């Protein structure tokens, strides 16, 4: 049974920082990719950042230079460090895992999803 549990969301003022974490269990992390997605009210879910088992990363243009995805393979955890947050970064952030073939930011590539953690930037 695969389980992804996000943590680290919260409310922050514009310009502030947050660090999200996603702990995976029942999952062979080293064989797969992990990603972060977000969904704002009334908007479609969008890919924010992804990382593969070799450490290659991909970022949405809107977060490049501000967000950093990293992984701790030994502990089956992936992190998203978010700096210089903007109000438009507000949304529910989801962790996802899967065997990505083409697009680390494509939600169709991922098989497993967490419940989400809310990020609010004011």
């Amino acid at each position: 049974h695969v389980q992804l549990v996000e943590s680290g969301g919260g409310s922050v003022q514009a310009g502030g920082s947050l660090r999200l974490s996603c702990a995976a269990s029942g999952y062979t992390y080293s064989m797969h990719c992990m990603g972060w997605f977000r969904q704002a009210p009334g908007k479609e879910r969008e890919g924010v950042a992804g990382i593969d088992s070799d450490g290659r990363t991909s970022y949405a243009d809107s977060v490049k230079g501000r967000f950093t995805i990293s992984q701790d393979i030994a502990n089956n955890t992936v992190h998203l460090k978010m700096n210089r947050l903007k109000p438009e970064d507000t949304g529910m952030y989801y962790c996802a895992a899967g065997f990505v073939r083409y697009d680390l930011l494509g939600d169709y590539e991922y098989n497993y999803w967490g419940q989400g953690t809310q990020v609010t930037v004011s």
Side-chain angles (χ1 to χ4, degrees):
H1 175 66
V2 176
Q3 187 174 18
L4 302 175
V5 180
E6 303 98 334
S7 61
S11 296
V12 64
Q13 290 188 338
S17 299
L18 285 173
R19 184 175 185 249
L20 306 183
S21 296
C22 174
S25 61
Y27 187 79
T28 307
Y29 185 87
S30 61
M31 297 174 61
H32 293 74
C33 305
M34 302 285 286
W36 286 98
F37 294 77
R38 68 186 180 191
Q39 187 167 21
K43 294 188 177 181
E44 292 187 355
R45 184 169 58 193
E46 63 173 340
V48 175
I51 188 167
D52 69 14
S53 56
D54 292 323
R56 287 185 290 260
T57 59
S58 182
Y59 295 94
D61 288 342
S62 59
V63 306
K64 282 180 182 176
R66 300 189 298 121
F67 290 12
T68 302
I69 188 170
S70 61
Q71 59 189 356
D72 179 352
I73 294 178
N75 292 304
N76 287 349
T77 302
V78 65
H79 305 284
L80 185 68
K81 182 63 188 301
M82 306 185 294
N83 296 324
R84 303 199 308 277
L85 282 160
K86 304 176 181 180
E88 50 263 43
D89 294 319
T90 294
M92 186 68 77
Y93 281 69
Y94 298 92
C95 174
F99 189 77
V100 175
R101 299 183 68 179
Y102 302 111
D103 183 6
L104 282 169
L105 301 183
D107 59 358
Y108 64 93
E109 297 268 22
Y110 292 86
N111 305 103
Y112 307 105
W113 293 84
Q115 293 299 307
T117 185
Q118 178 68 35
V119 171
T120 303
V121 185
S122 59

